[in-house]
Amino acid sequence: MQELSVRHLLGIKDITPQDIQLIFETADNFKDVLNRPIKKVPSLRDITIANVFFENSTRTRLSFELAEKRLSADVINFSSSGSSVKKGETLLDTVNNILAMKVDMIVMRHSSPGAPHFLSRHINANIVNAGDGTHEHPTQALLDSFSIREKYGEVAGKKVVIIGDILHSRVALSNIFALQKLGAEVMVCGPITLLPKYIKELGVKVELDVRKALQWCDVANVLRIQLERQQMKYFPSLREYTLYYGIDKKMLDSLDKEITLMHPGPINRGVELSSDAADSHHSIILNQVENGVAIRMAVLYLLASKTA
């Protein structure tokens, strides 16, 4: 069996295009499993996985938990809100206490960029980064690229624009790395205040006009405004943001070609996307959610074979 070049999935930056293709091929097989009447395989029957979430999550947490259960792993869930972290326990102590209970793999979301990288230097268990602050969210980028591959046959040569709050988005950075490794052209679009200062150094195009961006692309991946991460006002109001960067079905229908609409969720309907756009035939948003389970099954399965 082919195997990954890494022991942990900390970020897309750390993996090779071959790793991504292997994850996709494995996910293809698991997607077939998920469409059977019996959706379970005994692949990780002897593995215990802890979902350690220090930030709120719905889709990612449910997707990982479902992926783990479909692989027959034993699953424990940890949420910082009702834990000893509130009593002053450190991240390393928290995780070491969980590992003392013979846990094999950690899926972690944390508000601090680099938290999974720090842990990987101190513990033996495999780590999957489920989002670290504004840094990376590797499984989201993998499922986004997998969804593009499913729709078009391949990612190479496709034009993908990421629209919205690029500055505070971990999804944007991981997507840029994944799409470039797979041979896509990438553009970012948003208000100048929500674009990182040196974003062009990542080799992406920059566009401030959302209509021009949509006209250029094959796929538009629309991000929400991350108000919970913003320490100051980056634009006058949500109403003004919607006026300049909101996408509706009328705008999509006015383009002289068909494009595909994506969103990592949660959608703020009426802000970055109108309901008629989000629910239109352009959208593959629910396909992304479905593919998330298969991608996470593939990642967990491949990493389990790299246990220390």
Side-chain angles (χ1 to χ4, degrees):
M1 187 191 99
Q2 286 178 280
E3 57 175 36
L4 294 175
S5 64
V6 290
R7 274 197 64 236
H8 312 286
L9 182 62
L10 302 176
I12 301 295
K13 194 175 184 179
D14 307 315
I15 62 176
T16 65
Q18 292 73 31
D19 288 332
I20 297 175
Q21 292 298 349
L22 176 59
I23 291 167
F24 285 180
E25 286 160 20
T26 311
D28 285 332
N29 295 327
F30 283 132
K31 194 152 186 203
D32 292 340
V33 169
L34 293 172
N35 288 317
R36 291 185 203 156
I38 297 170
K39 299 173 175 62
K40 213 164 186 181
V41 286
S43 310
L44 299 188
R45 198 168 47 197
D46 303 321
I47 301 286
T48 304
I49 303 173
N51 297 316
V52 182
F53 279 66
F54 292 88
E55 269 192 329
N56 295 338
S57 173
T58 305
R59 263 161 311 283
T60 304
R61 186 172 189 155
L62 288 177
S63 185
F64 267 113
E65 191 172 341
L66 199 54
E68 291 151 8
K69 288 178 174 175
R70 296 280 188 249
L71 291 166
S72 305
D74 293 319
V75 181
I76 57 171
N77 287 306
F78 168 91
S79 171
S80 64
S81 56
S83 73
S84 293
V85 171
K86 296 290 182 192
K87 302 175 186 175
E89 188 171 57
T90 66
L91 169 63
L92 197 53
D93 281 341
T94 299
V95 173
N96 276 327
N97 275 283
I98 292 168
L99 293 179
M101 301 173 206
K102 305 302 178 198
V103 168
D104 304 290
M105 200 179 290
I106 299 279
V107 174
M108 187 172 89
R109 169 167 288 187
H110 202 281
S111 57
S112 299
H117 304 71
F118 165 77
L119 265 194
S120 69
R121 294 193 291 271
H122 292 89
I123 66 172
N124 285 325
N126 306 88
I127 298 169
V128 180
N129 180 5
D132 59 329
T134 55
H135 182 225
E136 278 219 50
H137 191 350
T139 55
Q140 181 68 48
L142 289 168
L143 73 90
D144 287 348
S145 294
F146 184 78
S147 300
I148 294 170
R149 170 180 172 265
E150 186 179 65
K151 170 94 180 179
Y152 291 101
E154 61 176 348
V155 180
K158 295 290 165 282
K159 294 178 175 179
V160 183
V161 63
I162 303 169
I163 301 171
D165 186 356
I166 312 297
L167 185 64
H168 300 96
S169 173
R170 51 187 167 219
V171 174
L173 188 60
S174 286
N175 258 298
I176 289 167
F177 290 144
L179 291 165
Q180 288 178 336
K181 286 184 181 193
L182 293 169
E185 283 185 69
V186 186
M187 175 186 280
V188 294
C189 175
I192 194 84
T193 51
L194 291 177
L195 299 177
K197 193 173 179 182
Y198 299 107
I199 188 78
K200 282 185 178 174
E201 292 186 14
L202 290 177
V204 300
K205 293 180 167 67
V206 175
E207 178 57 67
L208 302 180
D209 185 328
V210 73
R211 288 174 188 276
K212 288 180 184 172
L214 292 174
Q215 193 61 57
W216 172 85
C217 74
D218 300 307
V219 179
N221 198 347
V222 186
L223 310 177
R224 71 184 175 88
I225 299 298
Q226 309 240 342
L227 291 172
E228 74 278 10
R229 297 190 196 285
Q230 297 181 8
Q231 306 298 321
M232 54 181 271
K233 273 185 104 65
Y234 288 85
F235 47 85
S237 67
L238 281 178
R239 185 168 170 269
E240 183 160 322
Y241 178 86
T242 304
L243 200 62
Y244 284 95
Y245 289 96
I247 296 169
D248 57 21
K249 191 167 185 296
K250 186 179 172 189
M251 187 187 289
L252 295 173
D253 290 342
S254 72
L255 302 174
D256 55 21
K257 61 175 180 177
E258 278 279 313
I259 67 163
T260 299
L261 202 59
M262 300 173 71
H263 196 301
I267 304 170
N268 289 327
R269 287 175 182 256
V271 181
E272 70 271 11
L273 276 182
S274 67
S275 283
D276 59 2
D279 301 330
S280 71
H281 69 279
H282 297 278
S283 166
I284 57 166
I285 294 168
L286 291 178
N287 301 63
Q288 290 172 260
V289 178
E290 182 187 343
N291 289 335
V293 179
I295 281 288
R296 289 173 176 124
M297 285 174 78
V299 166
L300 295 165
Y301 172 74
L302 291 165
L303 285 179
S305 66
K306 305 276 290 186
T307 46

